[in-house]
Every structure is written in C-alpha cells, then in structure tokens.
Amino acid sequence: MLVFAAVMLYFLPESMSGGGVTASTIKREPLPRGSVVETDYYTDELGWIGNRTQLTAGMRNFYQKTGVQPHLYLTDTISDAHTPTAEQAEAFLNAKYDELFEDEAHLLLVFFERTPGSYHTWYLCGVQAKAVLDGEAMDILLDYIDRYYYGDMTDEEFFSKAFDDAGSRIMKVTTSPWIPALMVAGILIIIIIMFAWWSKAKKQKNLEAEQTKDILSTPLETFGTGDEKKD
C-alpha cells in the first residue's frame, strides 16, 4: 500500500466565474527524471473527450515542466453518490491513486460535474509530487481550470490549456506587473533630470559666451577711469 499525502479538497462555487490567477511566489525545481512510471493521462466517465491528442498535449507539457504526471478523472459519481461527502471523496481518491499508479510522483485530479455550470474538484498528490505541487501550486492549477471552464473552449482545449499554463506559472516566480512599470518610470525620471541639468549647463555656457563676446567687442578706451593728468 502506498503512503499518500493528505487529500486536499477544493470546491468552487457556481458563482465564481474566473478572475485572477494565484501568483507563484516560490522557486520550485521539477522532480528528477525517472520519478514517474508513466501511465494514462485521463479517465473519462462523462464521455467528454473526443480528441485525446489535444487534451494530453497540455498535460504532457505540465509533466515535462514539473516532473509530476497529472491524471484527470472526469466523473459525476463518487462511491455511487451524486453528492459525495468529504469522507467519500477522500476514500475514492486514495483507492484510485493506489489502483492507477505505482509511484508517489503523480497528481490525481478528480473533476466532478453533476449539472452544467457547477462543479467540484478534488485532488491527491503523491508524497514525492508534493515537493513541487504545494498548496500554492495547486491553487494556480485550479484557478486556471476555473478561468477556462467558463470560457467558450471545448472540453479538451480548456483542460489542456489549464494544465499547460499552470505548469509554466508554477515553475517560475510571478513578476509583479508594477516592477517593469516602475523601472520604466525610474529611467524616465533619470532622463528628465539629466536633460534639465544639460539644459541648465547649456544655458549657463551660452550666457558666459555672450558675456565674453561683449567684453571682447567693447573698445579698450571705455575701460579707462578718467582723464590722465600730464606733468
């Protein structure tokens, strides 16, 4: 029997329709090669997936970036229940993980939709997988799923894109959009200061040149102090 990380339960209310995606604040390293005994990428009990290649393209990218192989489980029934309890969902995920995988480097994501427009997700990460897919990383994946679920993409497209985009975001620290803006503003301020200094210096130089020109063009006799006395 495999030893599993705790089952994480996640529910998205029907009213939630997208919004921002959780920022990645942690530098993560992918699992070493050879951690995964590769398996199928999905189980479809809803009959949603018609284009296997399209779906798995994004999921394979997620695997390549994180070192964790995901498995998407689409269903509307858990333990013969259409409204499963948290305990039923936990037991289901543990049993399915043990049935589907031979290692601790998989992610099992159960997507449960009983009625269109409202769904639940549960996930279970193997112990090794949790080194990469911590709570923040999983929030990122679930945020992308929620964002694309309410769009106009096909089922294959939105799941594939959600995994692909999540894999990229999880594996790098998210840069605040304000940082580039502040850098540009700082450069502009420096340019303005330098231009003002240059303008002032040029104006002073021109003034000194005018004064020198005036001095050189003034007749020498004008520099006298008065009539000279003769002996």
Side-chain angles (χ1 to χ4, degrees):
M1 180 67 180
L2 295 174
V3 179
F4 302 113
V7 176
M8 304 298 293
L9 304 180
Y10 192 90
F11 170 63
L12 287 171
E14 185 175 356
S15 61
M16 188 172 182
S17 58
V21 175
T22 299
S24 177
T25 63
I26 302 170
K27 175 64 176 176
R28 301 176 177 88
E29 297 295 332
L31 293 184
R33 291 183 178 275
S35 300
V36 172
V37 178
E38 194 167 358
T39 61
D40 289 336
Y41 282 80
Y42 71 96
T43 300
D44 181 15
E45 294 184 351
L46 300 177
W48 284 7
I49 307 304
N51 189 329
R52 175 186 179 88
T53 302
Q54 188 175 51
L55 170 64
T56 59
M59 299 183 74
R60 290 180 187 276
N61 287 340
F62 182 94
Y63 174 29
Q64 291 174 358
K65 294 166 186 173
T66 65
V68 177
Q69 187 190 347
H71 186 97
L72 176 65
Y73 202 105
L74 302 171
T75 187
D76 61 0
T77 305
I78 290 179
S79 302
D80 297 322
H82 294 307
T83 54
T85 64
E87 292 74 18
Q88 287 175 317
E90 182 175 354
F92 179 82
L93 265 71
N94 277 286
K96 287 299 177 183
Y97 196 111
D98 197 22
E99 174 187 323
L100 294 168
F101 316 129
E102 302 177 17
D103 55 58
E104 292 286 347
H106 273 80
L107 160 65
L108 174 59
L109 177 68
V110 174
F111 186 92
F112 182 97
E113 184 194 89
R114 183 59 182 163
T115 58
S118 179
Y119 70 90
H120 297 249
T121 54
W122 294 271
Y123 68 82
L124 175 60
C125 296
V127 171
Q128 194 174 3
K130 280 184 69 67
V132 181
L133 302 183
D134 50 39
E136 180 182 86
M138 289 307 302
D139 285 343
I140 291 170
L141 173 58
L142 296 172
D143 285 346
Y144 275 119
I145 288 175
D146 187 58
R147 168 181 285 185
Y148 299 140
Y149 174 79
Y150 293 99
D152 57 0
M153 291 182 281
T154 66
D155 297 322
E156 296 93 340
E157 287 174 331
F158 103 74
F159 279 120
S160 182
K161 185 167 176 57
F163 275 101
D164 196 2
D165 289 355
S168 297
R169 191 176 184 93
I170 287 168
M171 299 310 292
K172 64 181 180 181
V173 176
T174 305
T175 302
S176 170
W178 286 105
I179 293 178
L182 290 174
M183 291 178 63
V184 172
I187 292 172
L188 288 175
I189 290 173
I190 291 173
I191 292 173
I192 291 171
I193 292 173
M194 291 182 66
F195 180 77
W197 174 84
W198 176 82
S199 296
K200 185 176 181 180
K202 184 175 178 62
K203 184 177 181 180
Q204 179 64 29
K205 186 176 181 180
N206 290 339
L207 179 60
E208 291 175 356
E210 283 293 327
Q211 291 175 341
T212 301
K213 181 180 178 181
D214 290 343
I215 292 173
L216 293 175
S217 63
T218 301
L220 291 176
E221 58 270 15
T222 62
F223 289 99
T225 57
D227 295 335
E228 294 183 359
K229 292 183 178 181
K230 296 181 181 181
D231 294 337

